[in-house]
Amino acid sequence: WAINVVLLPTRAQEGQDQVTNEETSGLAGRREHPRNDAARLIVHVGPHKTGTTSVQHVLFRNKYLIFDKLHVRVGASQRPQEGTFVAATIENRTHPETRKDYINKYVDENRVNFVLRKIRGWLDAGETVVISSETFDQVSTETLVTVAGWCNSTTFVHAHRAIVDKMRSMWSQIEKQKSNPRSFGEFLVGEKDVLDILDYMDRLEEVQQRFDPGVVEIRGTAYEGAHMVEFVLCDVALSHLESSQRAACKAFVQEFEVLHVNRSPSGAAIDVVRLSRNAALVLGCEAPTFNALWPKVAEVAEKLPLVGTRGDCSSYFDDLQAAYDRAFFARTGIAPPERAPCLNHMDFVNESALTSQHWSLIQGLLVECSKDPPTKAERSKQQ
């Protein structure tokens, strides 16, 4: 790619001097030619735990078909999650004082610059480009303004999901990375301000206000898993087409293989890790790093007595869901699903029904253990 493409100042920045050049930031600068009014940028922002990673993999695997049939470019050329590296890199450059060190481990900035030039080249040519990353729901307003300023028509896309299912996924995602995870109840107690999850909408609305009317659009939809690819491509990227053409687009997209990636472990599996840590403390043995043992943990969980929600939502969950739904649907103006879903199904370990044989299974996950399984009195003391 020989095109020397650099970032246009956003409309909010026009008239201000740009002192950072492309060599130092890879992002700032002026071009001598105007933006192409035919260009459209679709930014799928997630948010987290709405199947965003699966959307990215489906878009990536079918990017050539999508361009051939729909004339939409997928802004990920070598990795499904390049949008995440783009979002994080821009955020780091926008706010170097809060730079996230972990980005340095995974991001090749030369590669990110190449992806940025590629996306900007497509936009300069008047094409429609889709980029996807749940990281966009965490970046600053300034980063979102930078992205929105790449062309004269930017749409941010986000999805609604039942708050209890969302919290369950968040719990699994966060706690599976810990050697001593919290129970679901403990997690909920520590996450009281769940409506703060909608903070990203404040930032999107602020970005919209910084541009002329019609430049930035925000589109939301009720989360239905695989349907997000259909919504992003057919209802948003090709929203200018007639309904019959969008229907043909949806029929085409429905042929894509649905990929379920980044699956979180079951609630019972996380309980097994937590119980094994408790047993390790009582027995004085070493608890291994469980990230490498999740398949074995899942096998143990299947052999233990379980208790499940099985779609039975408590009034706490009902109230929480109603508050979240009111906030989301009132702000987006979209129609809520016919039936607000509750926690569909989650199994937890029935700790009161564990026998010595069950504890032996749990103890088998530990290393350098020689004592007998803990007695009921020891377990109560530990808890």
Side-chain angles (χ1 to χ4, degrees):
W1 286 79
I3 303 175
N4 183 23
V5 181
V6 289
L7 177 66
L8 263 181
T10 66
R11 293 195 177 194
Q13 297 169 322
E14 285 180 355
Q16 301 178 9
D17 291 333
Q18 297 293 315
V19 295
T20 311
N21 58 40
E22 187 183 20
E23 182 178 355
T24 58
S25 76
L27 296 171
R30 285 185 182 273
R31 292 175 298 182
E32 296 181 357
H33 55 284
R35 297 171 231 184
N36 192 318
D37 285 337
R40 292 193 66 207
L41 177 64
I42 315 300
V43 184
H44 175 221
V45 305
H48 276 74
K49 312 317 297 179
T50 57
T52 314
T53 305
S54 295
V55 170
Q56 292 160 5
H57 278 75
V58 172
L59 291 172
F60 176 76
R61 289 188 55 164
N62 297 282
K63 58 182 181 289
Y64 298 118
L65 279 174
I66 290 170
F67 178 69
D68 288 342
K69 298 292 185 181
L70 306 179
H71 305 294
V72 173
R73 297 282 191 180
V74 175
S77 55
Q78 290 191 347
R79 293 172 292 191
Q81 293 167 284
E82 277 182 336
T84 294
F85 300 136
V86 167
T89 299
I90 299 174
E91 178 73 2
N92 280 347
R93 292 170 177 175
T94 304
H95 295 283
E97 72 282 1
T98 58
R99 182 180 181 88
K100 296 176 176 58
D101 292 335
Y102 74 88
I103 293 298
N104 297 330
K105 299 179 182 178
Y106 305 106
V107 176
D108 178 347
E109 293 211 5
N110 289 329
R111 175 65 200 168
V112 173
N113 286 338
F114 172 79
V115 173
L116 285 168
R117 288 194 297 270
K118 201 168 187 178
I119 291 172
R120 297 305 305 277
W122 287 332
L123 293 173
D124 284 344
E127 300 196 58
T128 298
V129 181
V130 172
I131 57 176
S132 173
S133 173
E134 63 275 27
T135 301
F136 283 116
D137 79 351
Q138 295 180 326
V139 299
S140 64
T141 301
E142 288 74 19
T143 292
L144 295 171
V145 167
T146 295
V147 174
W150 289 351
C151 67
N152 288 333
S153 178
T154 299
T155 303
F156 292 102
V157 183
H158 63 119
H160 166 274
R161 186 181 184 187
I163 189 61
V164 184
D165 278 332
K166 187 179 179 74
M167 294 296 288
R168 175 187 63 176
S169 293
M170 290 175 63
W171 169 64
S172 298
Q173 179 68 22
I174 293 171
E175 301 303 313
K176 76 177 181 181
Q177 303 175 51
K178 298 180 179 179
S179 59
N180 188 20
R182 294 171 290 179
S183 69
F184 188 48
E186 292 168 337
F187 174 77
L188 288 177
V189 169
E191 302 290 336
K192 293 180 179 179
D193 298 326
V194 294
L195 293 185
D196 288 347
I197 295 171
L198 294 175
D199 282 353
Y200 75 92
M201 293 177 65
D202 295 333
R203 296 190 290 277
L204 292 180
E205 290 169 359
E206 184 178 348
V207 172
Q208 190 176 40
Q209 293 168 5
R210 292 198 190 184
F211 289 83
D212 292 340
V215 174
V216 174
E217 182 185 20
I218 304 171
R219 295 283 302 274
T221 183
Y223 170 73
E224 295 177 22
H227 121 285
M228 275 304 299
V229 177
E230 194 178 303
F231 180 77
V232 169
L233 291 176
C234 306
D235 291 318
V236 179
L238 301 181
S239 60
H240 59 286
L241 298 181
E242 296 180 358
S243 58
S244 60
Q245 294 173 301
R246 291 200 303 276
C249 169
K250 293 180 180 182
F252 166 69
V253 171
Q254 286 167 7
E255 295 298 319
F256 295 163
E257 179 185 359
V258 177
L259 301 175
H260 297 286
V261 295
N262 197 26
R263 284 184 179 274
S264 295
S266 68
I270 293 178
D271 280 343
V272 167
V273 173
R274 180 171 53 81
L275 293 170
S276 65
R277 292 292 301 188
N278 291 343
L281 291 172
V282 171
L283 295 171
C285 6
E286 181 183 346
T289 301
F290 284 99
N291 282 351
L293 289 178
W294 279 117
K296 189 174 181 180
V297 169
E299 291 178 10
V300 172
E302 292 177 357
K303 299 175 182 178
L304 302 182
L306 305 177
V307 58
T309 60
R310 303 190 181 280
D312 186 17
C313 290
S314 69
S315 59
Y316 169 77
F317 288 150
D318 287 340
D319 293 343
L320 189 65
Q321 185 66 50
Y324 181 77
D325 281 355
R326 282 195 300 271
F328 182 91
F329 293 113
R331 294 180 67 170
T332 60
I334 65 174
E338 293 183 3
R339 183 184 68 85
C342 65
L343 185 64
N344 293 326
H345 176 72
M346 173 173 271
D347 283 325
F348 302 94
V349 172
N350 186 354
E351 298 180 37
S352 63
L354 292 178
T355 65
S356 58
Q357 288 80 10
H358 294 139
W359 278 105
S360 294
L361 291 172
I362 295 172
Q363 182 180 334
L365 296 169
L366 309 179
V367 293
E368 299 182 3
C369 284
S370 57
K371 297 182 180 180
D372 293 330
T375 65
K376 184 176 292 186
E378 289 173 326
R379 294 199 301 273
S380 299
K381 182 179 180 181
Q382 181 60 43
Q383 292 171 354

